[in-house]
Amino acid sequence: FLKDKIIANGMPADKCHIVPEIMADPLGGGQCTKPGHGALVVGRLSREKGLHTLMRAWSRIDYPLTVVGTGPLMEELTRMASSAVRFTGFVNDEKLGEHYEQAAFTIFPSECYEGFGSVLIEAMARGRPVIASDLGARRDIVSHGSSGPLFTAGNADDLRQTAEWLISHGQEREQMGRHARESYLRNYTPEENHPRLIRIYENALARHGGLPAEV
């Protein structure tokens, strides 16, 4: 998505290469744990993150939702939230990992393009499917129906229906989690992306005659 945007704004296509954001495997190459119970949202509590849409959707869902993060909308969102929603504020990396492990799935409701969305691969790496809004790179990262479902950004009814389906279909949810883990291992580890980056540098050097003599 970002590559297409850059090319549309004048960058030559042959000078654009995709190297996705990477993250070391939090499971150290092991198998993902059995999914927990409840939905998880991680991020800054600000308007562009789609949290008003999420609160409206969750007002009719009787299923635990944990919101991790802080920001200017904390008080407003707390007032909007149903009794099924819990806000943790800021947590450290170790505690965040525990929240991913304890969740059944993650939600990424952002209503802006985002640069990438590291929360997506943090969840996928742990075998948790992601419900994501269908904007920007999310359509490239989350394979709809495989590693998680997409919903129409800003549409609370669509988000509610999507979440209710995932909550009630445990077998499909676990299968999506396995696919999410496989997608992470295939696309977003340092081991997979280091060779890609080296090839880009090597091709660039070859096009320009190699390294300068003084290097």
Side-chain angles (χ1 to χ4, degrees):
F1 173 81
L2 180 57
K3 179 180 178 181
D4 290 344
K5 288 291 185 184
I6 291 173
I7 292 172
N9 280 275
M11 178 67 73
D14 64 349
K15 291 189 176 182
C16 292
H17 304 274
I18 298 174
V19 179
E21 186 168 331
I22 63 173
M23 185 183 76
D25 186 359
L27 306 184
Q31 297 295 314
C32 52
T33 59
K34 186 175 178 60
H37 180 70
L40 176 67
V41 177
V42 179
R44 177 172 166 78
L45 307 187
S46 52
R47 191 163 300 278
E48 73 279 4
K49 296 297 186 178
L51 295 164
H52 288 94
T53 299
L54 178 61
M55 292 302 107
R56 289 194 295 271
W58 225 260
S59 67
R60 297 170 59 187
I61 297 177
D62 183 19
Y63 188 76
L65 170 65
T66 299
V67 180
V68 175
T70 188
L73 296 184
M74 173 68 87
E75 291 186 10
E76 181 179 343
L77 293 170
T78 302
R79 290 194 300 269
M80 288 181 64
S82 73
S83 59
V85 182
R86 177 172 68 102
F87 293 84
T88 70
F90 174 81
V91 300
N92 61 29
D93 288 344
E94 181 179 358
K95 188 63 178 177
L96 179 58
E98 293 175 5
H99 281 298
Y100 280 116
E101 295 290 330
Q102 293 164 3
F105 60 91
T106 297
I107 305 175
F108 193 88
S110 181
E111 293 169 11
C112 64
Y113 281 158
E114 301 280 353
F116 182 84
S118 58
V119 169
L120 299 170
I121 59 171
E122 288 175 1
M124 293 167 63
R126 294 172 170 85
R128 301 300 183 259
V130 181
I131 297 177
S133 52
D134 61 348
L135 284 178
R138 269 91 82 189
R139 289 173 289 192
D140 299 328
I141 301 167
V142 178
S143 178
H144 180 63
S146 177
S147 52
L150 299 174
F151 75 96
T152 304
N155 189 320
D157 286 337
D158 193 19
L159 174 53
R160 175 182 56 80
Q161 292 169 12
T162 302
E164 288 176 337
W165 186 91
L166 202 60
I167 291 166
S168 63
H169 288 75
Q171 184 174 346
E172 291 88 344
R173 186 175 67 237
E174 290 196 29
Q175 184 177 41
M176 285 184 182
R178 290 191 292 271
H179 289 167
R181 169 78 174 157
E182 292 166 2
S183 178
Y184 159 75
L185 291 172
R186 190 169 56 247
N187 296 294
Y188 304 110
T189 64
E191 293 78 11
E192 287 294 322
N193 281 286
H194 178 260
R196 296 175 186 172
L197 185 59
I198 294 301
R199 284 195 298 270
I200 291 170
Y201 285 133
E202 288 174 343
N203 290 338
L205 287 170
R207 290 175 57 176
H208 295 281
L211 289 171
E214 65 268 19
V215 175

